[in-house]
Amino acid sequence: MKWFWQKQKPEEPAKEEQTVPIVEPEASAMEATKPTSVETSGIFAKFLGEKQQEIIKPEPEPEPEPEPEPEPEPESEPESEIAPGFFGRMAKGLQRSSSKLGRGVSDIFTKRKLDAQTLEELEDLLIMSDLGTPLAQKFTKQLAKDRFEREVDERVIREELATLIADTLVPLEQPLDLSGARPQVVLFIGVNGSGKTTSLGKIAAKITAEGSRCLLVAGDTFRAAAVEQLQVWGERTGCEVLARPLGSDAASLAFDAIKQANDTGVDVVLMDTAGRLQNKQGLMEELEKIVRVIKKYDPSAPHHVLLVLDASVGQNALSQTEVFSQKAGVTGLIMTKLDGTAKGGVLVAVAQKYQLPIHFIGIGENIADLENFNAEAFAGSLTGLIE
């Protein structure tokens, strides 16, 4: 698959040949020997034969004969289905990460050959940009193989890096599929402050805009602020919110929520949970209990367990993913707060190591800033190819 930075290389020779009509050289030759009287015209026709006479007759040939200029080629948009303005929003959201990575690449490759020293500097830059050691080593090894001891343009380096990132991420680019059994149960998990409740509210807005009914469940029974925040989202989206007094058992609330959704014909249950550090054994066991109780009501639920990761934690996102996957069976990822950090590359490291579908990324505060993940736009923005 070709990405937009590969497609934009012009294929000029082919295009220029097409714009020159095949008959034009002959037409101009005819023009030079064109007879000045009717008599010479008749003699000329005998020598040329009937077919040549036909060619000479209609002089308007060169203009109207529209060897049509191929419209799609000069303006070729990326093949991916991306809404207008999507690339711009993504580039703006990832500005801090792309600035760090792009500036670093430019500094390393300004009028320098690709040698052992530049490769080492590049590997260090990629690791410091939170892309992860495996990808950094893979990329520098690939560059050394193809371009060692040659001068390289920093734009070429960024394009190669973007290609590697996009190739890594595109198999994991997956919209959240809420088709299937009703109600669909979606569990939001993650550490404190990762953006679970906000992500849940934004997804509720998207679902209700598509005409489905949602029940929001305030499963963070430890924090009054979390319950209040979810109730605000309920008012905003027109969704019912199910909550219990502070300190209530979150697992029994989950059970009641699914029963209520089933009885009232709700399409999707979006269930918030308390933020918990991945190294707190007691809280992680409580999360396991919530999953077990949900399965007692519906063995196929929860249908989605979404781990919400805060991009600003950098490499700590790897250990969060590992523990939450073991305890709750993570089925997909949401990465938030990419607009507020230079550590956006960690999404690549997490994706490469755990091979989990990436459903959404957060690149701002507005509802529209929780975007469906797109590997091409992400790779192009992260490497500074989109500005």
Side-chain angles (χ1 to χ4, degrees), residues 44-55:
F44 197 58
K46 284 178 186 175
F47 280 97
L48 290 175
E50 289 176 13
K51 285 187 183 179
Q52 288 286 50
Q53 196 173 19
E54 283 170 25
I55 293 170

Side-chain angles (χ1 to χ4, degrees), residues 168-201:
T168 300
L169 295 179
V170 76
L172 306 172
E173 176 190 304
Q174 217 175 92
L176 183 62
D177 182 6
L178 295 172
S179 61
R182 276 352 201 192
Q184 284 279 296
V185 180
V186 185
L187 194 63
F188 290 76
I189 62 175
V191 302
N192 295 302
S194 61
K196 292 186 304 301
T197 309
T198 302
S199 298
L200 186 157

Side-chain angles (χ1 to χ4, degrees), residues 325-336:
S325 294
Q326 289 169 0
K327 299 293 182 183
V330 174
T331 62
L333 300 175
I334 299 173
M335 183 157 275
T336 63

